[in-house]
Amino acid sequence: TGEWMVELFAPWCPACRGLQPTWEDFAGWSEDLDIGIGQVDVTTSPGLSGRFMVTALPTIFHVKDGVFRQYSGARDKDSFISFVEDKKWTGVEPISSWKSPESLQMSLVSYFFKLSMVLRNVHTTLTEDYQMPYWVSYVAFAVATILLGGILGLILVCCIDCVYPPRRDDELHHHVQQATRADKKDSDAEEEDDVEELEGSQDEGEEDQDTQDENLSQDEGENSQDEGNSQDEASQNSQEEGSQDESENYRSENKSRRRRARKAD
């Protein structure tokens, strides 16, 4: 509660060390400005650096009744005093709700920052206190990461089994039977379709054969008619030739009779 100006720094940061005298002078105006002025060492409080998502040092925040605004002005005492006294912080956009240090997601981020600091301290202890090579520390962290991943995966599988229990064998067998029945029905339907197609093709073949037979019979009838007509014509011609021969024979006999009669006279 109240109004605060808070600096997040690290002892190893050169810019933080350069700002330190100015910040101490500004802290002397705390009572005159009726505000609180403080500092946070991110090396000793990594959770706060995670909550505020500190990516550069030093970082200064203005806090008024739980509303956070990041200061981005000049880094001198007069600018700090003017920012508070003239209420220039009203023109600065507050930090969004999803990035607020009090939100759930930023709390989770702060725990990751704490974990990183713990791992860094372990690495420092192994390499400096116990004089171990760096690769030993890296191998230890790799093995720990694999084991932790396996344990978390096992826990996740157990949770999934509890929420979605596996099916029983009889239910599985029932589903298999239903699947096989459906496959049999599909195969029977396909066989019936094949039989119908074969029957249809056979019927078409028989119809084609019938049409061919009819065409052949018609051709044979026409040929027989043509032969009959040719035979009739031949018989007519032969009869005509026979009648002509008879007439010629009759004429020749008459002539011979006439000649004989003349001779007798």
Side-chain angles (χ1 to χ4, degrees), residues 116-131:
S116 66
M117 187 59 64
V118 170
L119 296 177
R120 181 179 178 181
N121 292 332
V122 171
H123 175 72
T124 303
T125 302
L126 292 175
T127 55
E128 294 182 1
D129 296 344
Y130 294 96
Q131 298 297 321

Side-chain angles (χ1 to χ4, degrees), residues 85-104:
E85 189 175 23
D86 297 337
K87 294 184 178 181
K88 293 181 179 180
W89 51 267
T90 56
V92 179
E93 184 178 0
I95 295 176
S96 59
S97 59
W98 69 275
K99 291 180 65 176
S100 175
E102 298 177 352
S103 62
L104 177 61

Side-chain angles (χ1 to χ4, degrees), residues 56-67:
L57 292 175
T59 300
I60 301 172
F61 286 95
H62 175 270
V63 185
K64 176 70 173 179
D65 296 331
V67 179

Side-chain angles (χ1 to χ4, degrees), residues 4-262:
W4 285 80
M5 288 287 286
V6 181
E7 178 199 5
L8 282 78
F9 75 102
W12 48 264
C13 173
C16 297
R17 291 196 295 266
L19 181 62
Q20 185 63 28
T22 303
W23 192 258
E24 290 177 356
D25 292 340
F26 173 61
W29 288 74
S30 176
E31 295 180 359
D32 296 336
L33 297 173
D34 193 17
I35 64 170
I37 298 174
Q39 286 181 312
V40 177
D41 186 356
V42 296
T43 59
T44 58
S45 302
L48 289 177
S49 63
R51 285 182 181 272
F52 287 94
M53 284 295 294
V54 176
T55 58
L57 292 175
T59 300
I60 301 172
F61 286 95
H62 175 270
V63 185
K64 176 70 173 179
D65 296 331
V67 179
F68 294 84
R69 294 176 174 87
Q70 186 172 354
Y71 176 82
S72 58
R75 304 294 176 92
D76 57 83
K77 183 182 68 174
D78 294 336
S79 298
F80 292 149
I81 294 173
S82 176
F83 183 79
V84 175
E85 189 175 23
D86 297 337
K87 294 184 178 181
K88 293 181 179 180
W89 51 267
T90 56
V92 179
E93 184 178 0
I95 295 176
S96 59
S97 59
W98 69 275
K99 291 180 65 176
S100 175
E102 298 177 352
S103 62
L104 177 61
Q105 57 270 21
M106 300 310 294
S107 298
L108 294 175
V109 173
S110 68
Y111 285 112
F112 281 108
F113 272 71
K114 290 179 180 179
L115 179 60
S116 66
M117 187 59 64
V118 170
L119 296 177
R120 181 179 178 181
N121 292 332
V122 171
H123 175 72
T124 303
T125 302
L126 292 175
T127 55
E128 294 182 1
D129 296 344
Y130 294 96
Q131 298 297 321
M132 290 184 179
Y134 283 97
W135 64 269
V136 174
S137 177
Y138 296 151
V139 170
F141 281 117
V143 173
T145 302
I146 294 171
L147 292 176
L148 182 61
I151 294 171
L152 293 177
L154 183 61
I155 294 172
L156 181 61
V157 170
C158 293
C159 294
I160 293 173
D161 289 338
C162 292
V163 177
Y164 300 101
R167 297 178 180 177
R168 297 179 180 178
D169 293 336
D170 54 352
E171 293 180 356
L172 182 61
H173 183 67
H174 179 68
H175 289 299
V176 171
Q177 286 182 349
Q178 289 181 351
T180 53
R181 288 176 183 175
D183 294 335
K184 287 182 179 180
K185 289 181 180 179
D186 295 335
S187 62
D188 294 337
E190 291 178 356
E191 289 179 356
E192 290 178 357
D193 294 335
D194 295 335
V195 170
E196 291 178 357
E197 290 178 359
L198 290 173
E199 290 179 354
S201 62
Q202 289 179 357
D203 294 336
E204 291 177 357
E206 290 178 357
E207 291 178 357
D208 294 336
Q209 187 66 32
D210 293 336
T211 53
Q212 290 178 359
D213 294 338
E214 289 178 359
N215 293 328
L216 290 174
S217 61
Q218 289 178 1
D219 294 336
E220 289 178 355
E222 291 177 357
N223 292 328
S224 60
Q225 288 179 1
D226 293 336
E227 290 178 356
N229 293 328
S230 61
Q231 288 178 359
D232 293 336
E233 290 178 358
S235 61
Q236 289 178 1
N237 293 327
S238 62
Q239 288 178 1
E240 289 177 358
E241 290 176 357
S243 61
Q244 289 177 0
D245 293 336
E246 287 178 359
S247 61
E248 289 178 358
N249 290 329
Y250 180 74
R251 289 177 183 176
S252 62
E253 288 179 356
N254 288 331
K255 288 180 180 180
S256 61
R257 287 177 183 177
R258 288 177 182 177
R259 290 176 181 176
R260 289 176 183 176
R262 288 177 183 177

